[in-house]
Structure formats: structure tokens, C-alpha cells
Amino acid sequence: TFQTNIVTELKNWKLNLVQHHKLQMRQEKEKHDTQVKQLQNEMENLKELLHTYEISISRKDEVINNLTQALEKQKARVELMRKFTLWRIRHVKAKQEEYAIRMADKHFQTALMKKVWAAWRSVSEERWKEKVARACQLRAEDICVQLTNDFEAKIAELTATLEQTKAEILRLHSERDQYEDTMKKAFMRGVCALNLEAMTMFQSK
């Protein structure tokens, strides 16, 4: 009958529509799976790149720590040498003073035991000793001044090196921050792209 034909036609049309819809759904799912795999591959690549950057930053931090420790050791060594030199200078001056006192005592005892000729001779010797002591003192002062200048120049050089190293440390930290910021932005772009694709799929459905 006509009604039966219409019902049959409607069933066929519904069946074709369902099959067409299933085909579209399968195609969209395959497309979606492909895009998800691509995004997963990009995520894996980004993870590997991030790991590489982390290793590089870790090595740079290790180099910075080694340089800082070496500079601190060098600074401590220079400070120790400076203290030792000052101690030697004081020790030499104490020895000179002790020698001058001992010689004065000897001259005093000799002057008491001898008469005028011995006293005159002791006076001459005393003048000579004073000249020698004065010359030794001047020489020691010149040596002290020279050593002080040398150590101050060395300290200034090490200080300049330390400042340069600090500047390099700041630069490396800045590079590390830039690397981390770049990786964060790349990661967020990947996440945003994935979210946008998912929203598009849901809206299309």
C-alpha cells in the first residue's frame, strides 16, 4: 500500500541518515585521534627539550659553584698570606728592638769597665751601631711598604675578578630564567592549542 511504502521509505531514509552520521562520527574521531597523536608527539618533544635545558642549566650551576668556591679559596689564601707577612714584619721589628737593647746594654757595661779611651771608642762604636740600626730599619720599612703595595694590588685584582664572576653568574641566572620562561610559554601554547581543539570538537558536536 501507499502507507507501507511511505513507512519503508522513511525507515530507509532514517537508516541512511544514521549510517551517514556514523560515518561522519568515525571520520571526525579518526581526525581527532590523529590530531591528539600529533599533540602528544609535540608534548614529548617539548618534554625532551625541557629535559635538555634542565641538564644544561644544572651544568652551568655546577660551573658557577666551582668558580665561586675557587674564588673564595683564593681570597682566603691571600688574606692568610697578608696576615703572615704582617706577622713577619712585626717579628723582624721586635728582633731589631731586642738587638738594639742588647747592644746598648753591652756598650753600657763596657763603658763602665773602661777608662776615657775605652769610653771614646765605645762612643764611636755606638754611633756606628746607630747608623747600622737606622739603615736596617729604613730597609725593613721599604720592604714592608713594597710588600703591602704588592698585596694590595693582588687583592684589587682578585676583587675585580670576583666582580666579573658575579656578573657572569647574574648573566647565567638571567639566561636560565629566560629558558624557563620560554619553555613555560611553549608548554602553555601547546596546552591552549589542545584546549581550543577540544572546545572546537565539542561545539561541532
Side-chain angles (χ1 to χ4, degrees):
T1 62
F2 178 73
Q3 185 177 2
T4 303
N5 293 332
I6 292 175
V7 171
T8 303
E9 185 66 24
L10 286 174
K11 288 182 179 180
N12 292 332
W13 178 79
K14 182 179 180 181
L15 180 61
N16 292 330
L17 182 62
V18 170
Q19 290 178 350
H20 179 70
H21 179 68
K22 287 182 179 180
L23 178 62
Q24 286 184 342
M25 289 295 294
R26 184 168 60 253
Q27 291 176 350
E28 290 296 330
K29 186 178 184 299
E30 291 176 355
K31 182 179 178 181
H32 175 71
D33 291 340
T34 302
Q35 292 177 349
V36 169
K37 288 182 180 180
Q38 290 178 354
L39 290 174
Q40 288 177 349
N41 292 331
E42 291 179 0
M43 289 289 292
E44 292 297 328
N45 293 332
L46 288 174
K47 287 181 179 179
E48 292 179 359
L49 183 60
L50 177 61
H51 181 65
T52 302
Y53 279 133
E54 288 177 350
I55 294 174
S56 178
I57 292 172
S58 175
R59 290 178 179 174
K60 288 183 179 180
D61 289 340
E62 184 178 356
V63 172
I64 291 171
N65 290 331
N66 293 335
L67 289 174
T68 303
Q69 291 178 0
L71 284 174
E72 292 297 331
K73 289 181 180 179
Q74 185 67 19
K75 185 177 179 181
R77 189 179 297 110
V78 170
E79 182 65 21
L80 183 63
M81 291 176 64
R82 187 180 69 83
K83 291 181 179 179
F84 177 74
T85 302
L86 292 176
W87 175 83
R88 285 293 303 273
I89 292 171
R90 289 194 295 268
H91 182 69
V92 170
K93 287 185 177 180
K95 287 292 185 181
Q96 289 177 349
E97 292 177 358
E98 183 182 356
Y99 174 76
I101 293 172
R102 188 168 60 250
M103 294 300 293
D105 291 339
K106 184 178 179 180
H107 167 67
F108 179 73
Q109 293 175 1
T110 302
L112 290 177
M113 290 187 295
K114 293 184 179 180
K115 296 181 181 180
V116 177
W117 181 82
W120 176 82
R121 186 175 179 180
S122 64
V123 170
S124 299
E125 291 178 353
E126 181 64 17
R127 290 177 180 175
W128 174 79
K129 292 172 184 177
E130 289 178 357
K131 291 180 180 180
V132 172
R134 182 61 179 170
C136 292
Q137 184 177 1
L138 292 175
R139 179 59 178 168
E141 290 177 356
D142 292 338
I143 293 174
C144 292
V145 171
Q146 183 64 34
L147 289 173
T148 301
N149 293 334
D150 292 341
F151 279 111
E152 288 179 352
K154 187 65 176 178
I155 290 173
E157 180 183 354
L158 290 174
T159 301
T161 304
L162 180 60
E163 292 298 326
Q164 292 178 358
T165 304
K166 287 181 178 179
E168 180 65 17
I169 289 171
L170 291 176
R171 186 183 67 80
L172 291 174
H173 280 298
S174 178
E175 289 183 0
R176 183 182 65 184
D177 294 338
Q178 291 178 359
Y179 287 152
E180 291 176 353
D181 187 60
T182 301
M183 291 306 302
K184 288 179 181 178
K185 290 180 179 179
F187 180 78
M188 291 304 297
R189 285 196 298 268
V191 173
C192 290
L194 182 60
N195 291 335
L196 183 60
E197 184 65 25
M199 289 178 63
T200 304
M201 291 299 303
F202 283 123
Q203 290 176 359
S204 65
K205 290 180 181 181

